[in-house]
Amino acid sequence: MSWRTVIVKNRCKLSYKNDYMLITSDGNEKTLHISEIGTLIIENTAVNLTAYLLCELSRYKVKVIFCDHQRNPYGEIIPYYGSHNASKQMSKQSQWSQSTKNNLWKTIVAQKIIKQAQTIYRETGNSSACEALMNFAANVSPGDLTNREAHAAKLYFKELFGPKFSRDSSNDINAALNYGYAILLSAFNREIAAAGYSTTIGVNHCNEYNPFNLTCDLMESFRPIVDSEVYKCRNFAFDDFFKSRLIEILNHKVVILGKEQFLSNAISIYVKLFFRTMETGDDELPEYELI
């Protein structure tokens, strides 16, 4: 199943009736069944929502993202309990062994760097940078103690967006990257919560002020999908067209476990196999390939 990402841009009222979300604007009313929605982005601060609708969206595990006055993602709603056995799942999560976490983080980082190498070669044709990144991936240690991830990122972003590019700069490219990453973050949050686990207890990320430590861990190897889309649109202003392209990444087709899937479905498969891997101690995680 593929859920829709719905974005609300204009001044309107959102309410709930009989499993439908009602969108009322200028006296006109549209309806959308909540079961069809995966993510709802409230891009306009003038949008009015009822508490009833917000509760039902949470019950259906719909991710609701709120944007600030500049229309950039600022926060989201996560239900307290995404699964009937959430208490049991979180108890197991708190007891994950450090060695298993280190091995999983090694796999995640290596996958991420490999995807970065493939992105560089696909978008720029730079074989030497691709080879350098593949060497970084081959030398990731458990827990990434030698910080191959950071070394690879430094090379990767400068090759993709130019030698003067910095992730710390304030520009349209970084705004677009952050917007796309927020879409990914929301998709992973949905699956983690639905499985009954906490997004706060990570494998590598452990910032006490970050409510999404685990989410940040699991989405790492999927970030290059956003990077690739931003690269394709890099000469455009960061406008509604650009944002719509980023929102559509969840409907991109990928191959995972030998089958063609929408990215939203692939994320669900990846998260479920991650938790199974944590329980069995096996450090194998599936890789995806873009179509």
Side-chain angles (χ1 to χ4, degrees):
M1 178 179 180
S2 178
W3 291 282
R4 295 175 57 182
T5 298
V6 178
I7 181 167
V8 179
K9 302 178 182 180
N10 302 317
R11 182 187 296 271
C12 62
K13 179 180 179 180
L14 305 182
S15 56
Y16 172 83
K17 183 178 181 181
N18 298 330
D19 294 333
Y20 281 87
M21 181 175 73
L22 309 182
I23 306 173
T24 307
S25 177
D26 297 327
N28 298 316
E29 187 175 272
K30 296 180 180 179
T31 62
L32 185 62
H33 200 279
I34 294 180
S35 65
E36 299 176 4
I37 309 171
T39 303
L40 174 65
I41 301 176
I42 308 300
E43 195 181 62
N44 191 325
T45 55
V47 173
N48 186 301
L49 298 88
T50 66
Y52 196 170
L53 173 63
L54 289 175
C55 286
E56 290 303 310
L57 289 170
S58 293
R59 186 169 69 86
Y60 274 89
K61 301 181 178 63
V62 176
K63 296 307 302 177
V64 182
I65 301 175
F66 293 96
C67 297
D68 60 19
H69 64 285
Q70 295 180 319
R71 299 190 173 185
N72 293 318
Y74 190 80
E76 65 177 60
I77 294 177
I78 297 179
Y80 279 137
Y81 306 106
S83 173
H84 68 281
N85 62 344
S87 161
K88 177 182 178 181
Q89 303 295 65
M90 291 182 193
S91 177
K92 290 190 297 183
Q93 183 178 3
S94 67
Q95 298 174 35
W96 287 344
S97 73
Q98 190 60 49
S99 61
T100 302
K101 290 194 289 187
N102 286 344
N103 286 333
L104 261 294
W105 184 240
K106 172 186 176 181
T107 301
I108 290 170
V109 171
Q111 287 182 347
K112 176 184 180 180
I113 299 175
I114 290 171
K115 293 305 171 190
Q116 289 176 330
Q118 292 173 348
T119 299
I120 287 292
Y121 187 74
R122 182 176 61 250
E123 303 296 352
T124 72
N126 190 329
S127 58
S128 60
C130 175
E131 183 177 352
L133 287 168
M134 293 298 286
N135 286 333
F136 280 132
N139 288 287
V140 178
S141 61
D144 191 24
L145 298 179
T146 57
N147 210 10
R148 296 298 92 185
E149 181 189 18
H151 290 297
K154 184 177 180 180
L155 169 63
Y156 170 70
F157 281 112
K158 290 189 181 299
E159 288 295 332
L160 197 60
F161 297 115
K164 295 183 179 180
F165 178 79
S166 170
R167 279 290 286 137
D168 296 325
S169 301
S170 177
N171 53 48
D172 279 0
I173 295 295
N174 275 318
L177 289 172
N178 293 337
Y179 192 92
Y181 295 156
I183 300 300
L184 277 184
L185 183 102
S186 176
F188 274 92
N189 278 341
R190 173 193 171 100
E191 298 303 328
I192 293 170
Y197 292 86
S198 170
T199 61
T200 62
I201 306 173
V203 170
N204 179 71
H205 290 82
C206 56
N207 189 327
E208 64 180 298
Y209 303 111
N210 181 8
F212 307 125
N213 285 311
L214 182 59
T215 317
C216 291
D217 288 331
L218 297 190
M219 66 182 279
E220 289 293 354
S221 66
F222 289 77
R223 287 178 183 265
I225 297 177
V226 173
D227 305 336
S228 180
E229 197 62 40
V230 172
Y231 179 83
K232 290 182 175 69
C233 299
R234 66 193 183 282
N235 294 323
F236 293 99
F238 185 48
D239 55 12
D240 287 347
F241 167 76
F242 207 149
K243 290 177 181 178
S244 67
R245 289 285 296 264
L246 292 171
I247 291 169
E248 278 299 310
I249 64 172
L250 294 178
N251 293 324
H252 284 191
K253 291 288 189 71
V254 301
V255 173
I256 188 167
L257 298 180
K259 293 184 178 180
E260 186 176 305
Q261 303 278 0
F262 289 107
L263 179 59
S264 56
N265 294 346
I267 288 172
S268 178
I269 293 168
Y270 187 88
V271 170
K272 288 175 182 176
L273 289 178
F274 167 82
F275 289 128
R276 185 184 304 173
T277 299
M278 290 303 302
E279 293 176 6
T280 63
D282 186 357
D283 63 354
E284 293 297 322
L285 279 176
E287 292 192 41
Y288 67 88
E289 294 295 335
L290 285 174
I291 296 178

